[in-house]
Amino acid sequence: PGLGRRFAERKRCADLECSMLMCRGKAMRDFKGPDCRFVNFKKGEAVYVYYKLIGESTELWAGSVGSDFGYFPKDLLEINHNYSNEELELPTDETDFVCF
């Protein structure tokens, strides 16, 4: 993905705050992100998805591994549990793309 300030203008979430889990999956291979906005994981780790970017960066989802949160390529995840079938389309926020 292009690593500009914002990856996408819109996102899909399970609730208005994007704080509810959408789904959980298992990492199909190791991933090390290009910067601190990405979450790193090892093959076999559980990854929890909070929102999915839509628009230009449909390949990126946001989620957590342990206490770490960030973006990752969705095609590295094998979904094994859906928490919500509800998907709200919301605008992204500038704070969605900063490092903490």
Side-chain angles (χ1 to χ4, degrees):
L3 296 179
R5 199 153 166 78
R6 277 183 189 236
F7 300 144
E9 294 298 316
R10 314 230 7 111
K11 60 188 174 181
R12 286 206 170 96
C13 303
D15 65 307
L16 288 172
E17 289 79 39
C18 298
S19 60
M20 283 176 51
L21 281 171
M22 295 184 84
C23 58
R24 177 187 72 220
K26 188 171 76 176
M28 295 192 292
R29 66 175 192 260
D30 293 0
F31 174 70
K32 176 125 174 67
D35 66 35
C36 61
R37 295 176 291 180
F38 291 80
V39 65
N40 301 320
F41 48 74
K42 300 246 184 269
K43 180 179 180 176
E45 282 190 298
V47 181
Y48 295 87
V49 179
Y50 287 90
Y51 59 90
K52 304 169 180 180
L53 295 181
I54 53 179
E56 311 89 68
S57 289
T58 55
E59 72 279 358
L60 289 179
W61 287 357
S64 65
V65 177
S67 61
D68 297 328
F69 185 87
Y71 293 96
F72 62 91
K74 71 177 186 185
D75 55 353
L76 298 184
L77 196 63
E78 180 185 307
I79 303 296
N80 52 29
H81 187 79
N82 282 307
Y83 292 99
S84 172
N85 294 324
E86 190 77 26
E87 287 198 5
L88 306 172
E89 192 173 311
L90 301 165
T92 57
D93 209 342
E94 200 66 35
T95 57
D96 288 335
F97 306 104
V98 296
C99 298
F100 293 104

